[in-house]
Amino acid sequence: AQKITQTQPGMFVQEKEAVTLDCTYDTSDPSYGLFWYKQPSSGEMIFLIYQGSYDQQNATEGRYSLNFQKARKSANLVISASQLGDSAMYFCAMRGLKVGNEKLTFGTGTRLTIIP
Amino acid sequence: GAGVSQSPRYKVAKRGQDVALRCDPISGHVSLFWYQQALGQGPEFLTYFQNEAQLDKSGLPSDRFFAERPEGSVSTLKIQRTQQEDSAVYLCASSSIQDVSYEQYFGPGTRLTVT
C-alpha cells in the first residue's frame, strides 16, 4: 500500500519569492516514482516533475525542483521566483515501478495563492 | 499533438439513471487510467487498462461501476443507477510504456452531478 501526506492545506506567498510545498510518503515498494502535478481552477492536471527512488540527484525542471530525502521519505516541491500564474492546487503523487503497478496515489493537495 | 479528450465535459443525471463517460487517450498510449476526484480532494484511482486488458479494477467503489476498452484505444466508464455520492470529476489519463518519466497525461475530466 502507498500513502501520500500533504500537511499544508493552503499557502500564501508573495510574488517572486520561493516556496516549498511539503510531501511525505510511505510505501513498501522497493522502487517507486514520485510526481508533482498542478491543477489550476480550470481543472486540468498538469505534470510538473518526476523523481525516481533510484535517482542520485534531485530532479529539476525550470523553476521547479524536487527536494528528495529518501531516508526521511519526503519529496518536497520547490518553486523558485513565484509568479501569479503559479496560483493553483498542487498534488504530490507516487506509484510503484513494477510492471502492472502503474496507478498513481495522490495526496490531498495544497492550494497555493501568489500575492502580487 | 492531440491530448487526452473526454466527453461529455459536464453531465447532470437524476438519481437512478445510468451514465456513460468516454475517454480518448493519446494515440499509441498503451496504458489508460480512470480516477475519481471529489470536491476538494486529490484524485483516487478507479481502474487501469493495458491495451484492452483491465489489469486492475480495485478502486471501483461498487459493482455499479464498470469500465471497458474493447479495442485498446477509447475507453468508457459506465455508472449504473447513479447515487448522489457518485457526484465528482472523473479524470482519464494515458501513458506510454516508453516514457522514462512514467508521466500520465490527463484529460480535462467529466464533471458528474447527480441530483
Side-chain angles (χ1 to χ4, degrees):
Chain A
Q2 298 168 344
K3 183 170 181 175
I4 294 284
T5 302
Q6 294 181 256
T7 57
Q8 305 155 310
M11 288 188 70
F12 290 84
V13 172
Q14 204 75 38
E15 189 180 6
K16 298 180 186 172
E17 288 186 351
V19 55
T20 297
L21 304 182
D22 294 341
C23 172
T24 58
Y25 63 89
D26 196 15
T27 181
S28 55
D29 289 311
S31 61
Y32 48 89
L34 295 153
F35 303 78
W36 278 91
Y37 279 85
K38 172 183 178 181
Q39 189 175 45
S41 56
S42 53
E44 73 270 32
M45 295 287 283
I46 302 169
F47 168 78
L48 295 178
I49 197 166
Y50 166 79
Q51 176 86 43
S53 60
Y54 44 79
D55 291 336
Q56 296 297 314
Q57 291 190 319
N58 287 343
T60 59
E61 289 285 350
R63 293 187 299 113
Y64 305 107
S65 61
L66 199 151
N67 184 1
F68 180 47
Q69 297 189 44
K70 194 170 183 177
R72 290 186 165 187
K73 294 189 175 180
S74 75
N76 298 340
L77 176 70
V78 180
I79 306 174
S80 63
S82 57
Q83 302 171 355
L84 295 179
D86 294 333
S87 293
M89 281 290 288
Y90 288 80
F91 291 98
C92 180
M94 74 177 303
R95 55 157 284 184
L97 296 185
K98 285 184 195 173
V99 173
N101 185 21
E102 299 182 33
K103 66 184 180 187
L104 287 173
T105 299
F106 287 84
T108 51
T110 295
R111 181 172 297 281
L112 176 64
T113 303
I114 306 300
I115 305 165
Chain B
V4 178
S5 61
Q6 293 186 245
S7 60
R9 291 292 313 277
Y10 303 91
K11 177 70 179 178
V12 178
K14 291 188 177 175
R15 191 173 57 180
Q17 282 185 331
D18 298 349
V19 298
L21 313 180
R22 177 186 168 107
C23 172
D24 277 274
I26 293 173
S27 177
H29 277 192
V30 166
S31 301
L32 185 146
F33 306 82
W34 284 98
Y35 295 88
Q36 180 190 58
Q37 186 174 21
L39 189 64
Q41 300 295 315
E44 292 195 357
F45 170 78
L46 293 176
T47 187
Y48 155 55
F49 291 85
Q50 197 168 91
N51 294 306
E52 67 277 5
Q54 189 174 20
L55 297 188
D56 187 348
K57 53 182 182 179
S58 62
L60 296 176
S62 76
D63 58 8
R64 296 186 296 104
F65 286 71
F66 172 76
E68 60 183 5
R69 194 186 185 198
E71 296 177 359
S73 56
V74 170
S75 176
T76 304
L77 176 67
K78 297 178 179 177
I79 309 173
Q80 297 177 322
R81 304 181 305 280
T82 52
Q83 304 293 315
Q84 281 195 315
E85 62 262 28
D86 300 334
S87 295
V89 175
Y90 290 84
L91 294 166
C92 176
S94 69
S95 68
S96 167
I97 57 176
Q98 296 167 327
D99 188 338
V100 296
S101 72
Y102 303 94
E103 178 181 349
Q104 291 186 16
Y105 296 80
F106 283 81
T110 294
R111 181 178 297 277
L112 173 65
T113 304
V114 181
T115 60

